[in-house]
Amino acid sequence: MTHEISVGDLTKDQARAELKRLSIVLGKANLAYHSEDSPEISDAQYDALKERNLEIEKRFPELEKAASPSHQVGAAPSDGFQKIEHIVPMLSLGNAFDDSDVLDFDTSIRKYLGFTSEAPLEFTAEPKIDGLSLALRYEKGRLIHAATRGDGKVGENVTANARTITDIPSSLSGAPETLEVRGEVYMSHSDFEILNEKQAKAGGKVFANPRNAAAGSLRQLDASVTASRPLKFFAYAWGQVSEPLAKTQWDAIARLADLGFATNPLTALCQDPQRLVEHYQNIEVQRATLGYDIDGVVYKVNDLALQSRLGFRSTTPRWAIAHKFPAELAWTRLEAIDIQVGRTGALSPVARLHPVTVGGVVVSNATLHNEDYIAGRDSKGATIRDGKDIRVGDWVQVYRAGDVIPKVADVDLNKRPAKSEPYQFPEVCPECQSEALREPGDAVRRCSGGLICPAQIVERMKHFVSRAAFDIEGLGAKQVEQFFEDGWLKEPADIFTLRDRFETGLQQLKNREGWGEKSAGKLFDAIDDKRRISLDRFIFSLGIRHVGEGAASLLARHYLDWPALKTAVSNARINDSDDEFWSELLAIDGVGQVMATSLVTAFHQETERQSIDRLVAQLNIQNVVQPMLSGSPVAGKTVVFTGTLEKMTRAEAKARAETLGAKVSGSVSSKTDILVAGPGAGSKAKRAAELGVETIDEDGWLAMIEGL
Ligand code: IVH
């Protein structure tokens, strides 16, 4: 057997045979380790085989296969793939649904930059590929890793798999020393059909659409499976680069094409929003014959210096937008209306539909929004759908746009069954029988049960473990529901005491489908990993109404640590302008009356606060570290802008100050460090003078932050 022969003595044919054998043995070992939880060989044996594989490839480089086991970096952790942190976050895009949204996009950029409506402002326009995004990192021209988007901050290491994709070069010549290329992995329609036929014949998984097929194929633990799937890649963006690719988006894409990447041929340069819309229509006409799925057109500001001035909101760039294609429609029968109770008690009506295919996807549930919508009214009482109500048994129109939840859009009264009754929206919570109330001005009816309502408890915990919150591997919505039913979890804090309590109840857990000693151990480790949590994620995880990711991040950046935030919010007196805590909360730029009230109310509720305290006792909440602390003279300082700014708009000034680690506030107080006062500054300048706050003009401010 070739295994006995030392690498130095192998002939080329023997080496080829041995590499094949090793790839099978290692592939099997990987599968046993990752998917079946039952390793067949020891770690040491595994390492020895991998080392032998590497040695042979070193001696016979020409025999190295793209899907070689040596391209699988290290042993993946228990959840399948190693994690890779994105140095430049991978964000998503804001959406435009009609032409007026495109005009608004242009207008808001001009406003932010202080441009007149006549000033030149160019955009690129290109198809939005319906696949999954991938970041490829090249160092000194060599592909060193490939990562999926993940949650935008941390993705999965799929390097071995990416290397099997023909459109992805493994080396580049003439590229910047560090270059992270981003783009979309997708599957063509014809390849998708062939793959599904093959899968069906072999009794394997049949995919619902090319996007799912591409995602399923890229995220394979065994790279040789990915290699057998026909994946393609378009490059359209970049992350970290050691030197700029170009001065414009257009030239940067041309540069990526020169480096050997596939770029989309339908990309155009447009001088104004009208041209953007024309190009959108042009692409829409070609959509059906492109041979791959696209779900809209992406517009980007062409000038990269302007892109950088525009920067980002919390999850989307200001300089780009996705203009989506109109939704797909289908008609079907409404079989029932169910009421789901959400984390804040909202009663949401869900349409149970006779299954129907809408744009290639089978839909059997859709949202009906709220009780007014069912009755044929909008939130202000005006009629919608000509006032037609929606009833169980009706023939309804369903629409689906991209990945958003399908909606019931219309109803056909000609097909209404003779004996149908108007839908009676429940006035008690279907889960806990508490009264369900509608507050004036609120379109939504809410269960008043709070934490006595099992649905609210479960939904809060689902939110707690969700991706943008605690994101605990192996503890998703399904497990939370199961653990709640079995009595293991009653509140988020319970998650962190599971290990101790399971020691005694393990037998019980083992009796549940899918749980063994090993998988439970893995779960507890994953939970322990998340005890250390950033302040913004923690605030978001609490699931307080009106406190989303953006708000959580504002609060974290303002208060910097948990004790400060807790003290301020627990002591704040709602609507009392003499109260310093309340005034400080409202002075945070981006925090309004509604959010502040909701936050303070939550902290004033005794049961709620105790539940938060029990949770905090289990955690290690990280203080916010101000970005660029060392180089920035304004890091950690509270800055107020007032009067007219002449060199940049207020929005740009604020975003820039925050990037440099400053807190921007709307009002002057004893906590203000710097007041930037332009011409026309009034009461704020006076107050600053009274308090002895440092006051500078716009040029003084620009000089202070120059070069940063
Ligand atoms: S640009 C900062 N261009 O759409 C954002 N994205 O909804 C840079 N996508 O996560 C993205 N085609 O996966 C860009 N031509 C294109 C795209 C594209 C598809 C995806 C991408 C992104 C998602 C955002």
Side-chain angles (χ1 to χ4, degrees):
M1 200 171 124
T2 41
H3 191 192
E4 316 299 320
I5 307 174
S6 79
V7 173
D9 295 331
L10 287 171
T11 66
K12 193 163 174 180
D13 279 345
Q14 283 172 328
R16 188 177 287 118
E18 178 69 341
L19 282 178
K20 191 161 174 201
R21 186 186 76 85
L22 285 170
S23 84
I24 295 169
V25 176
L26 286 167
K28 258 182 151 173
N30 271 336
L31 206 68
Y33 180 83
H34 296 304
S35 330
E36 292 152 24
D37 272 341
S38 52
E40 289 174 352
I41 55 174
S42 72
D43 286 358
Q45 282 171 311
Y46 179 88
D47 289 344
L49 292 174
K50 223 168 157 179
E51 183 55 30
R52 184 171 168 83
N53 184 79
L54 211 65
E55 264 180 57
I56 301 176
E57 284 173 349
K58 234 192 232 158
R59 229 194 109 206
F60 299 103
E62 68 278 21
L63 296 181
E64 180 179 335
K65 290 249 168 54
S68 151
S70 57
H71 293 156
Q72 287 176 2
V73 187
S78 54
D79 53 341
F81 292 97
Q82 288 188 322
K83 305 285 183 226
I84 290 186
E85 195 170 335
H86 299 299
I87 296 168
V88 177
M90 287 182 87
L91 300 175
S92 51
L93 291 167
N95 290 326
F97 293 103
D98 55 31
D99 297 359
S100 76
D101 293 341
V102 180
L103 289 178
D104 290 349
F105 171 61
D106 176 77
T107 312
S108 70
I109 289 178
R110 287 175 187 279
K111 193 164 162 225
Y112 186 91
L113 294 170
F115 281 15
T116 63
S117 52
E118 280 78 41
L121 183 61
E122 267 186 345
F123 298 94
T124 59
E126 72 205 62
K128 183 170 189 298
I129 316 298
D130 198 5
L132 69 153
S133 47
L134 187 67
L136 306 167
R137 189 175 177 88
Y138 291 86
E139 277 176 18
K140 297 199 169 65
R142 292 197 64 80
L143 176 62
I144 61 149
H145 68 224
T148 60
R149 177 164 180 264
D151 65 358
K153 291 180 188 140
V154 177
E156 287 176 326
N157 185 342
V158 291
T159 312
N161 310 34
R163 285 187 202 275
T164 70
I165 300 175
T166 337
D167 284 343
I168 297 181
S170 57
S171 63
L172 307 174
S173 73
E177 177 147 336
T178 301
L179 170 64
E180 197 199 301
V181 176
R182 293 179 176 180
E184 202 85 352
V185 173
Y186 67 100
M187 195 179 281
S188 75
H189 291 159
S190 52
D191 287 336
F192 167 71
E193 299 294 340
I194 296 169
L195 173 66
N196 262 356
E197 269 170 33
K198 261 205 238 160
Q199 293 285 102
K201 260 197 206 135
K205 183 178 167 66
V206 172
F207 296 99
N209 53 48
R211 201 180 75 85
N212 288 1
S217 300
L218 185 68
R219 295 184 72 260
Q220 285 289 333
L221 292 170
D222 179 356
S224 62
V225 177
T226 309
S228 73
R229 304 274 175 86
L231 294 174
K232 295 198 160 87
F233 180 80
F234 274 128
Y236 52 65
W238 55 93
Q240 209 188 15
V241 279
S242 51
E243 57 187 90
L245 284 173
K247 286 201 163 74
T248 62
Q249 177 76 28
W250 179 263
D251 289 347
I253 297 302
R255 178 98 194 271
L256 291 178
D258 281 347
L259 288 170
F261 290 95
T263 58
N264 197 287
L266 290 177
T267 309
L269 196 57
C270 302
Q271 264 62 40
D272 53 55
Q274 189 49 44
R275 302 271 159 76
L276 289 177
V277 171
E278 276 167 27
H279 193 54
Y280 170 92
Q281 288 160 351
N282 173 13
I283 291 177
E284 195 177 22
V285 173
Q286 301 182 56
R287 185 180 183 191
T289 52
L290 283 179
Y292 53 88
D293 277 351
I294 62 173
D295 56 349
V297 178
V298 182
Y299 307 142
K300 299 173 185 169
V301 168
N302 190 36
D303 183 333
L304 299 184
L306 293 181
Q307 282 191 8
S308 131
R309 273 182 67 188
L310 286 158
F312 301 89
R313 301 175 205 95
S314 62
T315 58
T316 56
R318 289 191 189 87
W319 45 265
I321 200 165
H323 188 176
K324 295 301 218 38
F325 289 130
E328 317 240 16
L329 301 171
W331 287 87
T332 187
R333 179 89 55 205
L334 175 61
E335 292 181 336
I337 297 178
D338 285 350
I339 300 290
Q340 281 179 351
V341 182
R343 122 184 104 78
T344 58
L347 267 48
S348 307
V350 179
R352 304 294 179 203
L353 304 164
H354 185 77
V356 62
T357 307
V358 193
V361 171
V362 180
V363 171
S364 45
N365 302 313
T367 177
L368 281 160
H369 304 284
N370 53 50
E371 62 184 297
D372 286 344
Y373 188 81
I374 297 175
R377 290 186 299 266
D378 71 8
S379 58
K380 298 195 179 74
T383 57
I384 50 172
R385 295 186 304 270
D386 301 326
K388 291 179 284 188
D389 70 332
I390 294 171
R391 303 181 183 186
V392 173
D394 271 344
W395 196 249
V396 292
Q397 187 192 50
V398 185
Y399 80 84
R400 208 189 122 247
D403 41 15
V404 296
I405 304 168
K407 296 170 184 171
V408 171
D410 204 359
V411 52
D412 184 349
L413 293 188
N414 294 323
K415 291 194 174 169
R416 175 166 282 176
K419 283 196 190 132
S420 74
E421 297 278 336
Y423 179 70
Q424 287 299 324
F425 204 90
E427 293 183 357
V428 293
C429 170
E431 300 286 340
C432 72
Q433 319 311 319
S434 303
E435 217 180 335
L437 303 168
R438 257 184 92 168
E439 281 173 22
D442 194 351
V444 174
R445 191 173 283 278
R446 285 172 207 277
C447 160
S448 58
L451 289 179
I452 68 148
C453 176
Q456 287 193 49
I457 300 175
V458 173
E459 291 307 316
R460 275 196 200 197
M461 281 197 285
K462 284 190 195 164
H463 169 83
F464 184 84
V465 298
S466 67
R467 217 178 204 192
F470 270 71
D471 190 21
I472 297 171
E473 211 62 63
L475 190 64
K478 218 175 82 199
Q479 289 80 5
V480 164
E481 256 170 29
Q482 186 194 318
F483 287 161
F484 178 77
E485 259 172 44
D486 292 354
W488 290 104
L489 294 183
K490 294 196 172 60
E491 61 172 2
D494 294 341
I495 293 173
F496 298 92
T497 59
L498 273 178
R499 190 196 290 271
D500 297 345
R501 292 181 291 129
F502 271 181
E503 305 272 283
T504 45
L506 193 62
Q507 199 47 49
Q508 212 181 321
L509 181 69
K510 274 193 196 163
N511 295 339
R512 290 297 303 213
E513 203 188 325
W515 288 102
E517 206 149 331
K518 193 163 174 199
S519 54
K522 258 191 200 171
L523 174 66
F524 303 145
D525 290 346
I527 291 172
D528 283 342
D529 270 358
K530 297 292 163 89
R531 285 184 197 266
R532 209 180 127 94
I533 186 104
S534 64
L535 181 59
D536 58 337
R537 266 187 191 252
F538 175 71
I539 300 168
F540 174 68
S541 78
L542 297 176
I544 296 167
R545 206 171 142 206
H546 303 299
V547 183
E549 268 182 279
S553 149
L554 287 177
L555 293 166
R557 272 187 286 153
H558 183 83
Y559 292 104
L560 302 177
D561 59 49
W562 169 251
L565 181 128
K566 187 187 162 186
T567 308
V569 179
S570 333
N571 288 309
R573 291 192 300 270
I574 296 173
N575 286 340
D576 179 350
S577 55
D578 291 333
D579 174 48
E580 200 176 318
F581 291 116
W582 175 253
S583 310
E584 181 183 351
L585 184 58
L586 272 193
I588 301 173
D589 222 331
V591 173
Q593 195 91 12
V594 174
M595 191 227 291
T597 306
S598 169
L599 180 69
V600 175
T601 310
F603 274 66
H604 283 191
Q605 274 159 11
E606 198 51 27
T607 45
E608 183 105 33
R609 228 205 19 243
Q610 284 171 0
S611 167
I612 296 176
D613 286 345
R614 281 190 293 273
L615 174 61
V616 171
Q618 298 292 333
L619 303 173
N620 172 5
I621 303 171
Q622 302 294 296
N623 296 349
V624 176
V625 181
Q626 295 284 22
M628 300 184 56
L629 210 54
S630 55
S632 167
V634 297
K637 302 236 163 120
T638 300
V639 181
V640 176
F641 292 96
T642 187
T644 316
L645 298 180
E646 281 157 350
K647 307 229 161 83
M648 54 187 155
T649 61
R650 185 71 65 88
E652 188 179 356
K654 171 176 176 263
R656 184 104 179 83
E658 284 175 349
T659 316
L660 295 171
K663 291 191 229 174
V664 178
S665 173
S667 63
V668 175
S669 74
S670 57
K671 294 204 173 127
T672 310
D673 295 299
I674 304 169
L675 177 74
V676 182
S683 62
K684 288 185 193 170
K686 219 172 115 204
R687 178 114 177 91
E690 281 163 17
L691 292 167
V693 169
E694 179 185 1
T695 301
I696 53 178
D697 63 7
E698 190 180 7
D699 286 337
W701 167 254
L702 288 174
M704 190 179 269
I705 63 167
E706 198 188 323
L708 293 173

